Structures are given as structure tokens and as C-alpha cells.
Amino acid sequence: MKKIKKYAHFCAPYLLDPTNPVTVNLIGAGGTGSSMLTALARIDFALCSLGHAGLDVNVIDPDTIERANAGRLLFTEEEVGLPKAVAFVNRVNRTFGTYWKAFDQPFSEDIPMANIFISCVDSVDVRFQVADRLKQFREKRQMYRDTPYYWMDFGNNRDCGQVLLSTVTATKQPKSKKFIPVAHLPFVTDEYGSDLLSAEAGDDTPSCSLAEALEKQELFINSTVASNGAALLWQLFRQGMLTNRGVFINLEDFRMQSIKVSSAIKADVEKIAS
């Protein structure tokens, strides 16, 4: 019986053996973003231990730490009122000896480019801002140290969430006898439009307590989504390829559904590569 080949995406070669640390823009330092920041620190430490150049992370978030964040975000009482980005980046830098940077401001054109964009935001508008900026780069086709290759987007509502990896431009794929290479992974904004993203949008009124916040989001949905996204990113670095590009998670009945690298998106490759 003939074995059916799986579709796979092979990592952009630069990320596997870079001259300088791979640059990352982490947009959002809330429940998911702060968990992802810790995961990035662990990935950086592991990569450096394996002889890789590691990561250089920018954290972008305009909000400050509030007491209502207790439980979902890990912080000390002295950090209440500090910018989230500054507090969390300082902690990682002290712990791991990194020199990562914090931008306590909204995402904008002032934020430098990076090889990987990671969005952990509950704003549909910010996602489309990220998409627009990356599409502008795609049109210019400039290549330099901070050339963006991937965009990983996280989203969740009360007890469900998802993470999805996209390519900024079509990535040249090697020939393979075992897999069918897929060069382009579409943006979440193109693939799902505002339907999926709008489904996440809810009451964004600031919570006055953790009890009130838990009415909007379950306690472990952020960290669960972040852990799965971090595992996906680690697999990309460690194995150099992916057969899954994301996952849908439902904590209410503990279901997970992987998002496969698919042939359905191959039709867009020629358009983006041309």
C-alpha cells in the first residue's frame, strides 16, 4: 500500500544558524504574553546551550500592572503600577543575564522590525496593524538582519484559545521524498478575517479584582495557549520543520485540535513569491 505523504513546512534557514541572535517582537505582556516571555527565555537558554546564537526579544505593551492581575500574572506587590513590559523584561534580564528591551507603548511604526513577530493581544485592530506592517515589508522585499520571517498569533476567550503560525513571505523549501513542502503559511487575518478574531472580543472593561477577571477568562487558558505556542516554536528551531502550524484548545472539555500544514494554502505561494 502506497504511503501518503504529509505536508510540511521547512524553517527559514537563517533562523537555524544565524550570525546574530534571532530578533523577536513580543506584542502584549498580559496573561498570555507574560507566560510566553518566560517560555522565550527558556528557549533562548536552551538554544544557546546547543551552540545557537539565541534570541533577542523586544516586549511591547502600554499597560501597567494592577492588583486585579494577581494570579494570572506573577508579580510582587512592589511592581503594582509599573509598566508590564518593563517589569517583566527586567525580571527576565536579571534571571537569565539577557539584554532584552521593553517598549511601554502601543504597537506602532516606531517599533523596530524583527525576525519573528508574536502577538498576544485581545485587540482585533492591533492584529490588523501587525498584518499591514508585515505586508508592507513583503512589498518592499528588503533583506537585512531583522528581516521578518514568521508571525505567531495567540488568541483566546473565556475557556478556548488558539495559536497560529504564519510566514511573512514564501520560504524556499528543500526537495523531500518523505514530505510535501509548503512554502507559505497564511496570516490569521487573511485566513479567518475578522470572524475568528471578533469572536474573541468581549467586555474589555478593566477588572477590579481577580474574581471579576475570572468571569471573563479561566485561570489557566492563557498559560495553556502560551505553552502550546512555545512548544511549536521550539519544534521549529529544534527540528527545522513543522507538520502542524497551530492548535485550537478548549479547556471546558479538555479538547485540542491541531492545525495541520495544508495543501489548501499552496495556491497563494506563487502570488506571494512573484
Side-chain angles (χ1 to χ4, degrees), residues 35-182:
S35 295
M36 191 61 189
L37 179 61
T38 302
L40 289 172
R42 295 173 61 189
I43 291 174
D44 172 68
F45 188 88
L47 287 175
C48 291
S49 299
L50 295 170
H52 189 277
L55 307 177
D56 183 14
V57 180
N58 298 319
V59 180
I60 302 100
D61 193 304
D63 295 335
T64 57
I65 296 175
E66 301 175 359
R67 284 187 173 82
N69 300 139
R72 201 179 301 280
L73 309 181
L74 298 178
F75 59 85
T76 65
E77 186 67 22
E78 289 74 17
E79 289 174 319
V80 174
L82 291 178
K84 288 179 181 178
V86 174
F88 294 138
V89 167
N90 284 345
R91 185 183 306 168
V92 168
N93 286 344
R94 288 194 301 267
T95 303
F96 291 91
T98 51
Y99 295 92
W100 295 356
K101 294 173 286 296
F103 292 81
D104 55 338
Q105 65 182 72
F107 178 78
S108 68
E109 295 291 332
D110 297 333
I111 303 301
M113 271 294 183
N115 303 134
I116 301 174
F117 278 66
I118 301 177
S119 51
C120 305
V121 296
D122 54 10
S123 167
V124 177
D125 291 340
V126 173
R127 284 189 174 98
F128 279 97
Q129 288 176 32
V130 173
D132 289 343
R133 187 170 184 198
L134 293 177
K135 287 179 179 179
Q136 288 174 13
F137 167 82
R138 182 190 293 169
E139 294 172 357
K140 293 179 180 178
R141 293 189 169 277
Q142 296 175 336
M143 298 296 291
Y144 50 95
R145 173 184 167 182
D146 294 328
T147 293
Y149 295 97
Y150 293 100
W151 174 20
M152 177 175 280
D153 179 72
F154 292 83
N156 68 275
N157 52 30
R158 187 176 187 276
D159 47 28
C160 298
Q162 77 282 334
V163 56
L164 196 67
L165 183 70
S166 308
T167 56
V168 178
T169 58
T171 303
K172 186 176 181 180
Q173 300 288 286
K175 294 182 179 179
S176 175
K177 294 182 179 180
K178 187 176 180 180
F179 299 100
I180 301 175
V182 176

